[in-house]
Amino acid sequence: MKTIRIGYTDIYPDTNPTNNVIHNILKERYNVEIVDTGVPENRDRVEYLIYSVNGKKYLDYNCVRIYVTGENLVPEFNLCDYAVGFEHMSFGDRFFRLPIYFWEMYRKDYDALLQDRSALMGPSPEKRDFCGIVASNNYFADSMREDFFNALSEYKHVASGGRAFNNIGMPDGVPDKTQFLKNYKFSIAYENSSYPGYCTEKLMQAFAAGNVPIYWGDPTAVEQFNEKAFINCCGLTIEEAVAKVKEIDNDDDRYLAMLSEKPLLDDGLREKTMEEFRKFIFNIFDQDPKAAKRIPAQGKMAVYNDAYRKLVRRDEMLRNNKVTMLIGKILAKRKM
């Protein structure tokens, strides 16, 4: 088997380098050596670098760069050779659309959608409370989510079990999102922002909890998920969305029909998508690292890459200098 040396940097904290959607494909065909990027001396040993949105360390690596994002951020192809994200677009062999509900960490939730829907049910609908939501933070989210939460709460109590606008007395959030949401007829599954293609785990996890999702975010989500099984608020005002929820909440037959709707998505969707993703990944790693590079070593793209690196480093230096000066002022005041 061909040996490949890969590194990870600027990735999500809960990413497991030896158990993720890319690594599990790579080990089918290659002997994968994980290089510790925490050791500066290892930098030149990395042949392929997988990085994400949590930093700029990737700029220090002159190797094949593969950008992977779970955020609503368009790849910067002047800085990466390949990218995996949410966009509905084609860019030669350099981009693949893989929403995060296909990622390994959400496999249990995805598989739940393939079961008979009766297997997902918690308490019978008549024994459930009205609506729940679990949102981890609200720092970078569109105000639409909080505004809708507040508006719907004026109709009936909406239990918030996450760290964002928590109202159940657990400020750190519930330990199990699925078990919490099983107690409600509906769950708010609003994305951080609305953009074609940007569909995260939220809609899928609401389905996995066995309730009717109230969804806002990706207007193209209906191309993969059964629109008859959720309340689609894309394109609606807050008032229109609340009115739609009220209608269904007060019509038991309609609610039960939505709750029984199946299938929730194409049974073969994951297999078809992952087979195409394998081809994308193997195309990168079957090549010699030099041949796999897509950012030219010369020309304007290379100049841009170098200029961007210098700009980032300058900003980091200025920021560090400001922090050092601030600490110095605080210490000086304490000595006075």
Side-chain angles (χ1 to χ4, degrees):
M1 297 175 74
K2 175 184 176 181
T3 296
I4 56 174
R5 296 195 300 270
I6 67 174
Y8 291 85
T9 190
D10 308 319
I11 57 176
Y12 297 95
D14 55 354
T15 300
N16 184 342
T18 60
N19 184 22
N20 60 72
V21 68
I22 293 179
H23 180 84
N24 291 341
I25 290 174
L26 292 176
K27 66 184 182 182
E28 295 175 10
R29 185 175 292 197
Y30 314 106
N31 176 34
V32 183
E33 179 184 342
I34 306 293
V35 180
D36 184 359
T37 56
V39 179
E41 291 75 17
N42 284 344
R43 190 173 299 155
D44 292 337
R45 297 188 63 244
V46 178
E47 296 175 318
Y48 308 87
L49 183 76
I50 297 170
Y51 73 96
S52 195
V53 300
N54 296 322
K56 301 293 184 183
K57 293 180 181 178
Y58 70 92
L59 293 169
D60 294 329
Y61 290 82
N62 185 26
C63 62
V64 179
R65 297 179 190 161
I66 305 166
Y67 170 71
V68 180
T69 182
E71 308 295 339
N72 188 8
L73 294 170
V74 180
E76 171 53 277
F77 285 103
N78 289 329
L79 300 174
C80 65
D81 298 287
Y82 303 91
V84 178
F86 289 99
E87 297 288 326
H88 285 294
M89 70 175 182
S90 176
F91 192 31
D93 66 351
R94 297 180 64 181
F95 179 78
F96 193 89
R97 181 178 186 268
L98 191 77
I100 63 176
Y101 51 78
F102 289 117
W103 290 13
E104 213 65 38
M105 65 182 73
Y106 300 117
R107 182 63 185 267
K108 181 180 178 182
D109 294 314
Y110 191 96
D111 287 348
L113 271 62
L114 304 180
Q115 302 176 32
D116 187 285
R117 292 203 72 183
S118 61
L120 304 177
M121 300 305 173
S124 57
E126 66 272 11
K127 294 181 180 179
R128 301 185 197 183
D129 290 327
F130 170 56
C131 184
I133 180 175
V134 177
S136 59
N137 70 75
N138 213 37
Y139 300 124
F140 303 107
D142 190 299
S143 61
M144 177 68 81
R145 181 167 63 193
E146 186 170 5
D147 291 344
F148 175 76
F149 166 78
N150 290 331
L152 191 62
S153 296
E154 292 179 7
Y155 165 61
K156 284 184 180 180
H157 176 70
V158 178
S160 179
R163 293 191 299 274
F165 30 90
N166 186 284
N167 61 11
I168 64 168
M170 299 178 66
D172 292 331
V174 294
D176 191 316
K177 178 178 180 179
T178 301
Q179 288 304 313
F180 173 76
L181 292 178
K182 279 183 178 294
N183 297 304
Y184 302 95
K185 289 176 63 178
F186 304 95
S187 61
I188 298 175
Y190 269 42
E191 304 287 5
N192 290 334
S193 59
S194 179
Y195 186 80
Y198 180 59
C199 184
T200 68
E201 79 286 358
K202 294 178 177 62
L203 179 57
M204 175 184 69
Q205 288 184 331
F207 278 135
N211 48 40
V212 171
I214 306 168
Y215 181 75
W216 174 87
D218 176 14
T220 69
V222 296
E223 296 174 6
Q224 296 188 320
F225 293 92
N226 185 342
E227 188 176 14
K228 294 179 180 179
F230 67 97
I231 301 174
N232 184 8
C233 297
C234 295
L236 301 183
T237 65
I238 291 174
E239 292 76 17
E240 290 169 338
V242 170
K244 197 169 185 180
V245 175
K246 286 182 180 180
E247 282 180 27
I248 298 169
D249 182 42
N250 290 292
D251 187 336
D252 290 344
D253 291 339
R254 190 174 173 190
Y255 173 79
L256 291 172
M258 295 182 74
L259 200 62
S260 304
E261 188 68 35
K262 57 184 181 181
L264 295 175
L265 75 176
D266 179 358
D267 286 357
L269 177 63
R270 181 183 176 87
E271 286 69 26
K272 288 184 286 188
T273 302
M274 295 310 297
E275 185 56 37
E276 290 303 311
F277 188 52
R278 281 185 178 86
K279 295 176 183 177
F280 172 78
I281 291 296
F282 291 151
N283 176 65
I284 299 171
F285 289 87
D286 278 350
Q287 300 177 73
D288 177 88
K290 289 184 179 180
K293 285 287 292 179
R294 293 296 181 267
I295 302 173
Q298 305 294 331
K300 288 188 176 181
M301 283 179 68
V303 172
Y304 175 88
N305 201 306
D306 188 54
Y308 185 82
R309 182 188 299 110
K310 290 177 180 177
L311 182 62
V312 167
R313 295 296 171 254
R314 187 200 68 179
D315 288 347
E316 287 179 347
M317 183 180 68
L318 292 173
R319 186 165 54 250
N320 290 338
N321 287 343
K322 287 180 180 179
V323 171
T324 301
M325 289 173 63
L326 180 60
I327 292 173
K329 288 179 180 179
I330 293 173
L331 293 176
K333 285 183 179 180
R334 289 181 177 177
K335 290 179 181 180
M336 293 176 65

